[in-house]
Structures are given as C-alpha cells and as structure tokens.
C-alpha cells in the first residue's frame, strides 16, 4: 500500500495548501499516520488539526486501495509456499487496522495470516520495535526466529531492533 499512502498524503496535503512531494513522503515512510501528520505539522509550521487530517488521509488511502490496490508480483505464491511449509505468517504494519483489513479483503489474502497486528495499538510506531515484538509474542515465536519482509527504512530499523532477520 506504500505507493497509495504517498499518493494519499500528497493529495490531502495539496488540498491543505502544501506542495508535497514523493521525497517528502519518503522521509516519513513506514511511520504511523498520526506520527506523519505530527512530524509535518512541526516541519511545515502548520496549524492544521492533526487528528482530523489523520482521518482524512486514512479515508483517502482506503478510497485509493479500493480503486487501485493490487498485490506485488509473487505475493500470493510466497504466502502459499509459507503455508505449504507450515510456517506461521504474520502481518505487522504501521497502518491502522481499518486499512489493513481493506487491503487483506481487496487482495483476498486474509486467510494466510496467523496474526495481524497494527502499530496503532503500540505506544510507539516504527522505527520502535514494539509492533514486531508484540506480533512475535502473539505467534508464540522468539523474535530471533522471525524473518521480516520489509519495504521501509523505519520498518527495517524496527525489525533489526526486535532482533529479527530482515529482507
């Protein structure tokens, strides 16, 4: 969903009067939406309502996922192989649960996951390792026996801090 997050943030921030770019989005890639909005409020010296803007961005992401969402090549094959080999599979995301559920339904992959965990339930989002540690605990797996497939620097840092292997 990362490209759609970027598109949503750019769209919403432009409606707020800010000329936002992919490079700006990359600075906060992997963070929770509330953390992204607070980061940019300080950085841009903006006066928007962070809670309202977070909700607008989430709504925009959901709309984009429903319209344009598609899986990365090889995702279903990877999940199938994991299940076939009796591996426990989890999703540990910075996205809010509502977005995670939309993605899982859109891609028809919800049944592959033993645990689905959102960092919204953690005190801190990525790069803090909390979401990964909580996920490992829920799976009944030691963090150093976990392999994380990650698409962001904040996620990579979080997984390494949790003592997990990272691709």
């Amino acid at each position: 969903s990362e490209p759609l997050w970027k598109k949503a943030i750019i769209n919403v921030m432009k409606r707020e009067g800010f000329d936002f770019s992919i490079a700006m989005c990359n600075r906060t890639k992997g963070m929770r939406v509330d953390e992204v909005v607070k980061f940019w409020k300080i950085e841009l010296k903006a006066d928007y309502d962070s809670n309202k803007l977070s909700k607008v961005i989430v709504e925009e992401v959901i709309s984009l996922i429903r319209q344009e969402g598609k899986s990365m090549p090889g995702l279903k094959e990877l999940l199938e192989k994991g299940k076939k080999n009796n591996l426990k599979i989890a999703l540990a995301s910075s996205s809010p649960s509502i977005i995670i559920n939309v993605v899982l339904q859109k891609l028809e992959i919800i049944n592959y996951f033993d645990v689905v965990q959102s960092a919204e339930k953690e005190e801190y989002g990525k790069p803090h390792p909390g979401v990964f540690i909580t996920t490992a605990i829920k799976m009944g797996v030691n963090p150093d026996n976990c392999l994380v497939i990650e698409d962001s620097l904040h996620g990579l840092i979080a997984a390494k801090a949790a003592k997990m292997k990272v691709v």
Side-chain angles (χ1 to χ4, degrees):
S1 64
E2 192 61 43
L4 300 179
W5 269 104
K6 290 176 184 177
K7 189 174 183 177
I9 291 169
I10 289 168
N11 291 347
V12 171
M13 293 304 276
K14 282 190 179 177
R15 289 196 299 261
E16 288 291 317
F18 299 102
D19 190 23
F20 232 69
S21 68
I22 294 287
M24 292 169 81
C25 291
N26 287 338
R27 289 182 59 195
T28 55
K29 182 179 175 183
M31 293 170 67
R32 293 185 319 207
V33 66
D34 62 312
E35 294 169 326
V36 170
V37 169
K38 287 174 186 169
F39 175 90
W40 287 112
K41 183 172 185 170
I42 293 166
E43 192 81 6
L44 298 170
K45 297 175 179 59
D47 64 354
Y48 54 71
D49 180 315
S50 297
N51 291 330
K52 286 182 183 177
L53 197 63
S54 292
K55 288 177 184 173
V56 171
I57 291 171
V58 167
E59 290 168 5
E60 181 84 3
V61 172
I62 289 170
S63 175
L64 290 169
I65 289 167
R66 288 185 172 141
Q67 294 170 35
E68 304 174 26
K70 59 182 185 241
S71 68
M72 296 176 91
L75 174 65
K76 281 198 178 175
E77 292 82 1
L78 180 64
L79 293 171
E80 285 286 341
K81 190 169 189 168
K83 280 298 179 189
K84 188 176 178 181
N85 288 294
N86 296 316
L87 296 176
K88 292 183 179 181
I89 301 173
L91 177 65
S93 176
S94 289
S95 292
S97 296
I98 189 168
I99 290 177
I100 294 170
N101 291 331
V102 169
V103 170
L104 294 175
Q105 290 169 5
K106 170 80 176 178
L107 302 181
E108 300 176 345
I109 58 172
I110 195 163
N111 294 327
Y112 290 100
F113 296 95
D114 299 294
V115 173
V116 175
Q117 183 69 21
S118 169
E120 75 184 350
K121 299 173 184 170
E122 301 291 332
E123 187 172 349
Y124 303 103
K126 297 173 185 176
H128 190 278
V131 70
F132 286 123
I133 293 168
T134 299
T135 302
I137 290 168
K138 285 186 173 185
M139 287 195 316
V141 176
N142 192 316
D144 61 6
N145 287 328
C146 294
L147 172 67
V148 174
I149 299 172
E150 185 55 64
D151 68 346
S152 75
L153 177 61
H154 285 104
L156 182 140
I157 293 167
K160 293 304 261 178
K163 308 228 186 289
M164 298 178 172
K165 295 160 197 71
V166 185
V167 173

